[in-house]
Amino acid sequence: MITAGKGAMPLYIQIRELLIAKISKGDWLPGDSIPSEMNLSQELGVSQGTVRKAITELVEYNVLRRKQGRGTFVSNHDSQRALFHFFHIVDAKGHRVMPDSKVLRCHRRHASHGEALKLKLKDRADIIRIERVRNLSSSPTMIETITLPGHLFKDWDELDSGNLPNMLYELYEKQFGITIHSAEEQLRAVAATKHDASLLNLQAGTPLLEIERVALTLNKSPVELRISRCNTKKHHYENTIL
Amino acid sequence: MITAGKGAMPLYIQIRELLIAKISKGDWLPGDSIPSEMNLSQELGVSQGTVRKAITELVEYNVLRRKQGRGTFVSNHDSQRALFHFFHIVDAKGHRVMPDSKVLRCHRRHASHGEALKLKLKDRADIIRIERVRNLSSSPTMIETITLPGHLFKDWDELDSGNLPNMLYELYEKQFGITIHSAEEQLRAVAATKHDASLLNLQAGTPLLEIERVALTLNKSPVELRISRCNTKKHHYENTIL
């Protein structure tokens, strides 16, 4: 399972994905304590530092929680909600993958007519626009264009826009008191533009899965419009209809 | 809303879609009686025969129900489940559309390795393969390739394969005692093959949304594999995350 050498994923990311797989398969349940770093490093045949790096990321994403003097525990479902509930992209084996993000641009502008309609704003209202590329399994797989109503995110410009966290919903909640409760998604197949193609290392015209998501608060107010264009060669969107 | 002339949808289909919109918007609730054919024909400015044809189709699909001497009623949610629950394709306005189907081919063959894996069959097991094109808003929009385990659908060959009903899940239930309870879908963007292109009246290479669905019974046995390739120029896949 663990591979090394040129072109392979960094080791700590492989370990991180392996730990996520254990949680999403239910080997480790919410509230369970996980083995110590030393035991995991022996079991997996990697250094303790590598295990620690993987766990530290999962703690940052609220998938795991460290309790002083008691060990590391799988978070409850609420904390995992952001990662597992709203993110439907999985790898060919159906495993949840953790996206990494690189912000390309973050600026203020006026809403287009379509954006205003979707976010229930006035035409040309003040908005914040974030463009970022997300890596899945270490390769650039998604381009996200995120639009936020300026009046809801007043002190946005005080953030270090080059260093935005990977999980934005948590930022919205902690810094702006905005909790995403549900989302409406529209999925279409589109052709990669030249710009998409250069960011995702593929040919212009390649079919991409476009996910247009409007995220809503508990009282159904739209607070974020997110358009994701995904390369589905090695990953796909998973939906269970119950 | 109602349009006529060359290239327009047949009138009764326009009326049918209008009635569906009333139900899916909640203007008419499950259990409600709907206005008489005469009243609807006056209200909508079309002949009573056209209204009757639209209603008859909706009765066939279990969206409406006629009660002798009492009128026509909106079916309960269970009956609408097949149409509204498993079918996630909507038009640009977000309205549910009723798919029509044309069977291209229906034959028995051996399962490929991939099919066998997804349906939990032995390699080269006997399967039934149905290929059909589905019209949405009267234009060919989806190509479906449906694979059924032969041993579960023993008397399949006695059916008139050119005349299969539009809603197959109901057929599975009534004729074979197989009830679809849930489904797992994988969505990807793919390029239209020449074959796809000729069936959907578009250029080869056009991006299509591919939905690969495994339908499951209550005890999670896979009973149908369905691959749908959809033109998403005028329709899209809708998903609400609650």
Side-chain angles (χ1 to χ4, degrees):
Chain A
M1 195 147 189
I2 308 297
T3 55
K6 209 183 154 195
M9 263 188 260
L11 204 51
Y12 84 93
I13 292 185
Q14 295 184 52
I15 300 298
R16 187 189 73 187
E17 300 298 314
L18 199 149
L19 301 182
I20 290 178
K22 278 181 187 285
I23 295 166
S24 60
K25 277 189 295 177
D27 292 351
W28 295 341
L29 295 172
D32 281 0
S33 70
I34 70 166
S36 69
E37 288 175 5
M38 197 169 68
N39 286 347
L40 281 171
S41 100
Q42 283 166 2
E43 187 189 318
L44 303 170
V46 298
S47 79
Q48 222 172 306
T50 300
V51 171
R52 185 173 308 132
K53 200 166 172 187
I55 289 178
T56 299
E57 279 214 359
L58 292 173
V59 168
E60 276 169 19
Y61 296 140
N62 280 329
V63 173
L64 295 176
R65 181 175 298 187
R66 284 198 181 98
K67 295 188 187 173
Q68 197 66 41
R70 294 179 51 206
T72 304
F73 294 78
V74 180
S75 299
N76 57 36
H77 282 302
D78 275 2
S79 309
Q80 292 178 29
R81 193 173 154 87
L83 178 62
F84 291 129
H85 189 69
F86 288 101
F87 195 76
H88 280 229
I89 303 289
V90 300
D91 69 14
K93 287 179 185 161
H95 294 156
R96 299 279 164 173
V97 282
M98 172 88 75
D100 298 301
S101 313
K102 185 183 157 202
V103 174
L104 301 176
R105 202 171 171 208
C106 181
H107 59 128
R108 284 185 179 265
R109 37 165 291 172
H110 294 296
S112 69
H113 179 67
E115 289 164 349
L117 213 62
K118 279 165 188 157
L119 289 170
K120 296 191 181 161
L121 300 172
K122 287 185 182 153
D123 269 3
R124 298 185 53 74
D126 170 48
I127 55 158
I128 297 152
R129 163 70 51 79
I130 305 156
E131 288 169 41
R132 59 182 192 170
V133 175
R134 305 196 87 172
N135 290 312
L136 298 181
S137 318
S138 295
S139 59
T141 307
M142 302 171 70
I143 302 168
E144 286 185 341
T145 306
I146 295 165
T147 306
L148 303 172
H151 72 282
L152 293 178
F153 294 86
K154 279 214 173 84
D155 298 327
W156 185 270
D157 299 337
E158 289 170 18
L159 298 170
D160 175 3
S161 68
N163 242 332
L164 291 175
N166 194 22
M167 309 294 274
L168 289 174
Y169 288 4
E170 212 185 331
L171 176 76
Y172 302 165
E173 181 156 7
K174 289 195 177 152
Q175 297 264 339
F176 301 94
I178 293 170
T179 304
I180 306 291
H181 194 260
S182 64
E184 286 168 5
E185 294 191 328
Q186 300 185 357
L187 282 76
R188 294 178 183 84
V190 298
T193 62
K194 277 188 189 172
H195 179 67
D196 295 337
S198 73
L199 291 172
L200 298 178
N201 298 334
L202 38 77
Q203 289 206 311
T206 301
L208 299 178
L209 178 65
E210 183 179 271
I211 306 166
E212 181 182 309
R213 178 197 292 173
V214 176
L216 307 164
T217 59
L218 188 56
N219 64 2
K220 302 280 176 208
S221 297
V223 288
E224 184 205 62
L225 169 65
R226 183 181 296 209
I227 296 173
S228 308
R229 295 164 81 97
C230 316
N231 180 352
T232 55
K233 285 273 176 284
K234 292 184 181 169
H235 297 84
H236 60 266
Y237 181 99
E238 191 181 62
N239 192 28
T240 300
I241 305 176
L242 290 177
Chain B
M1 195 146 189
I2 308 296
T3 55
K6 209 183 153 194
M9 262 189 258
L11 205 50
Y12 84 94
I13 292 185
Q14 295 184 51
I15 300 298
R16 188 189 73 187
E17 299 298 313
L18 199 147
L19 301 182
I20 290 179
K22 277 182 189 284
I23 296 165
S24 59
K25 277 189 296 177
D27 293 352
W28 294 341
L29 295 173
D32 281 0
S33 70
I34 69 166
S36 70
E37 287 175 6
M38 198 170 64
N39 286 347
L40 280 171
S41 101
Q42 283 166 1
E43 187 190 318
L44 303 171
V46 298
S47 78
Q48 223 173 304
T50 300
V51 171
R52 186 171 309 131
K53 200 167 171 186
I55 289 177
T56 299
E57 278 214 359
L58 292 174
V59 169
E60 276 169 20
Y61 296 141
N62 280 330
V63 173
L64 294 176
R65 180 177 298 189
R66 285 200 182 96
K67 295 189 187 174
Q68 196 68 39
R70 294 179 51 204
T72 305
F73 294 78
V74 180
S75 300
N76 57 35
H77 283 300
D78 275 3
S79 309
Q80 294 179 29
R81 194 174 151 87
L83 178 62
F84 292 128
H85 189 70
F86 288 102
F87 195 76
H88 280 231
I89 302 291
V90 300
D91 68 15
K93 287 178 184 160
H95 293 156
R96 299 277 164 174
V97 282
M98 173 87 77
D100 299 302
S101 312
K102 187 184 155 201
V103 174
L104 302 177
R105 202 171 171 208
C106 181
H107 59 128
R108 284 185 179 266
R109 37 166 290 171
H110 294 295
S112 69
H113 179 67
E115 289 164 349
L117 213 61
K118 280 166 187 157
L119 289 169
K120 295 190 181 161
L121 301 171
K122 287 186 183 152
D123 269 2
R124 297 185 53 74
D126 170 48
I127 55 157
I128 297 152
R129 162 70 51 78
I130 305 156
E131 287 169 42
R132 60 182 191 169
V133 174
R134 305 196 87 173
N135 290 312
L136 299 182
S137 319
S138 293
S139 60
T141 307
M142 302 170 69
I143 302 167
E144 286 184 342
T145 306
I146 295 165
T147 306
L148 302 173
H151 72 281
L152 293 178
F153 294 87
K154 279 215 174 82
D155 298 327
W156 185 270
D157 298 337
E158 290 170 18
L159 298 170
D160 175 4
S161 67
N163 242 332
L164 291 176
N166 194 22
M167 309 294 275
L168 290 174
Y169 288 5
E170 212 185 330
L171 176 76
Y172 302 165
E173 181 155 9
K174 289 193 177 153
Q175 297 265 339
F176 302 94
I178 293 170
T179 304
I180 306 291
H181 194 262
S182 64
E184 286 168 5
E185 294 191 328
Q186 300 185 356
L187 282 77
R188 295 177 183 85
V190 298
T193 62
K194 277 188 189 172
H195 180 67
D196 296 335
S198 73
L199 291 171
L200 298 178
N201 298 334
L202 39 77
Q203 291 206 311
T206 301
L208 299 177
L209 178 65
E210 183 179 89
I211 306 166
E212 181 182 310
R213 179 197 291 172
V214 176
L216 307 164
T217 58
L218 188 57
N219 64 2
K220 303 279 176 205
S221 297
V223 288
E224 184 207 61
L225 169 65
R226 183 181 296 209
I227 296 173
S228 308
R229 294 164 82 98
C230 315
N231 180 353
T232 55
K233 285 273 177 283
K234 293 184 180 168
H235 297 84
H236 60 265
Y237 181 100
E238 190 179 63
N239 193 27
T240 300
I241 306 176
L242 290 177

